[in-house]
Amino acid sequence: MRTAYKVRAYPTPEQAAVLNRTFGCVRLVWNRVLAWRHQRYHREGVKTSYAQTDRYLTELKRGGEHDFLYEVSSVPLQQALRHQYTAFANFFAGRAKYPRFKSRHGRQSATYTRSAFRWKDGRLHLGKMEGPLEFVWSWPGIDPASVEATTVTISRAPDGRWYISLSVEADDKGMRLPSTGEAVGVDLGVRDFAVTSAGERIANPRHLERKARNLARYQRRMARKQLGSANRAKAKLKVARAHTKVRDARADFLHKTSTRLVRDNDVIVIEDLAVTNMVRNRSLARVISDCGWGEFRRQLEYKTAAYGRRLIVIDRWYPSSKTCSCCGHLLVELKLGVRHWRCPACRTWHDRDVNAAKNILAAGRAVTACGADVRHSGSPRVRSAVKQETRPARAGTPALAF
């Protein structure tokens, strides 16, 4: 199992100059090769292999106009070609969008393999750089000298902070957690971030909404500054730092929530939400994006795999909210504004979110018990940008709704 340790780095001014030069060279190689591939495909109708991009990089260096490429380590340049080849493979496989050109604005990064760095006694030495790169280790229970890094990625965030990401091969056998015998269904939402089948409500912290006034004020200040001036650069840095605070707070909340669910339950069941379609609703786009449902699912996937748990994702068209968790009665329609309803068949009073979480758990248990799958039996076409459920199987309306 591959994992990574990300730490804050503190390069000296000389080291920062070398790294900034490396970032610029990586960005140049990426953009030049991407433009060349695009031109070859549209003019000649041929695809470009990694070996061809490698030869193109060699010709680019020997052309005489880019001698500065020899001043930095060649490994990050080669890694840029590998990353671009992977990006195109993901694009043609339908897993990602078309690769874009890199900008000097935003996050910058460079990846080093073992031939370009030396990790000894917990100290990092990079190729063509004098002295070790200082950093702060954030795991007291792990000796950095015992870590065997396979690749190292140096990055600079838009707010000016530097990071080191150490990729290592870890043994996942020691990470297995003891069985708890518990299973939970999780219904994700906007009012409450998550509601579990046990009735627990996890409040939505709304990080972006709480910082919206500060962000707006910093952005107005930046807009009033002259383009290219030092004052605009300072104002831009404040905007980036404000966004970093929101991003870090959201990541901290998602990590704590997902880790607690993984530790307390052997089986976790969630819905396959179409977040890309849901954010097309202008009224809910910013709120849904602030929730971070996609990142939450990603964290659950790798944490359940690492700790020996199981994550079950049921189909997005399963009518979890409109189905009675007691008798299975399916309503004709249930509007999004209705938060409580009474089943017309068994007269059970339901909380919409708790009932949905119970149905999600029941669907996941069906998958666990007999390998059943929850599929939409009707049209697979996405009918709306908001969270929707299947049309009814039999008639029935909630007796009381408000």
Side-chain angles (χ1 to χ4, degrees), residues 223-245:
R224 289 193 291 264
K225 302 297 187 293
Q226 183 178 358
L227 291 175
S229 64
N231 286 334
R232 185 179 178 87
K234 294 177 182 178
K236 186 178 180 180
L237 187 61
K238 289 185 178 181
V239 173
R241 287 175 178 171
H243 278 289
T244 300
K245 289 181 179 180

Side-chain angles (χ1 to χ4, degrees), residues 176-332:
R176 303 285 176 171
L177 294 175
S179 177
T180 62
E182 299 292 334
V184 66
V186 180
D187 179 62
L188 300 178
V190 173
R191 292 189 178 183
D192 296 304
F193 174 78
V195 178
T196 67
S197 55
E200 179 188 2
R201 293 182 177 271
I202 302 175
N204 185 1
R206 298 178 182 265
H207 299 287
L208 184 60
E209 183 176 329
R210 288 189 298 161
K211 298 291 184 179
R213 293 185 60 185
N214 285 340
L215 281 170
R217 184 170 68 252
Y218 292 145
Q219 288 169 343
R220 286 196 299 268
R221 291 178 181 176
M222 185 181 69
R224 289 193 291 264
K225 302 297 187 293
Q226 183 178 358
L227 291 175
S229 64
N231 286 334
R232 185 179 178 87
K234 294 177 182 178
K236 186 178 180 180
L237 187 61
K238 289 185 178 181
V239 173
R241 287 175 178 171
H243 278 289
T244 300
K245 289 181 179 180
V246 175
R247 184 173 60 251
D248 291 346
R250 183 187 300 116
D252 180 71
F253 167 75
L254 294 177
H255 274 294
K256 289 180 178 179
T257 304
S258 59
T259 300
R260 183 168 63 85
L261 288 174
V262 171
R263 286 178 176 174
D264 296 343
N265 302 278
D266 291 341
V267 179
I268 302 174
V269 190
I270 60 174
E271 283 182 297
D272 182 20
L273 299 178
V275 180
T276 303
N277 296 330
M278 297 170 70
V279 295
R280 293 174 184 170
N281 185 336
R282 293 187 176 183
S283 301
L284 299 175
R286 188 166 71 171
V287 180
I288 293 175
S289 300
D290 189 26
C291 290
W293 291 337
E295 174 64 15
F296 182 68
R297 173 175 171 175
R298 187 192 70 86
Q299 292 180 8
L300 286 178
E301 287 176 347
Y302 82 80
K303 289 180 181 180
T304 51
Y307 293 108
R309 305 306 199 196
R310 184 176 182 184
L311 177 66
I312 300 176
V313 181
I314 67 172
D315 190 79
R316 69 186 63 165
W317 296 108
Y318 178 66
S320 57
S321 299
K322 297 190 296 184
T323 303
C324 176
S325 57
C326 295
C327 67
H329 183 85
L330 184 61
L331 298 179
V332 175

Side-chain angles (χ1 to χ4, degrees), residues 128-148:
K128 294 195 175 182
M129 182 181 295
E130 295 183 359
L133 185 60
E134 297 296 330
F135 60 89
V136 175
W137 189 253
S138 305
W139 291 269
I142 301 176
D143 185 9
S146 63
V147 175
E148 296 182 4

Side-chain angles (χ1 to χ4, degrees), residues 24-43:
C25 293
V26 168
R27 188 173 60 249
L28 172 70
V29 169
W30 175 281
N31 292 341
R32 286 296 182 90
V33 174
L34 180 58
W36 178 65
R37 297 178 74 138
H38 185 81
Q39 182 181 12
R40 289 188 75 230
Y41 183 78
H42 286 273
R43 287 188 178 182

Side-chain angles (χ1 to χ4, degrees), residues 14 59 69 77 97 142 162-163 182 212 256 291 317 386:
E14 294 77 12
E59 295 175 359
L69 294 177
L77 309 183
K97 295 182 179 180
I142 301 176
W162 296 81
Y163 296 95
E182 299 292 334
K256 289 180 178 179
C291 290
W317 296 108
V386 298

Side-chain angles (χ1 to χ4, degrees), residues 5 11 31 115 131 173 178 193 195 224 235 263 305 328 346 356 369 381 392 397:
Y5 298 98
N31 292 341
S115 59
K173 293 182 179 180
F193 174 78
V195 178
R224 289 193 291 264
R263 286 178 176 174
C346 66
R381 181 167 54 92
T397 55

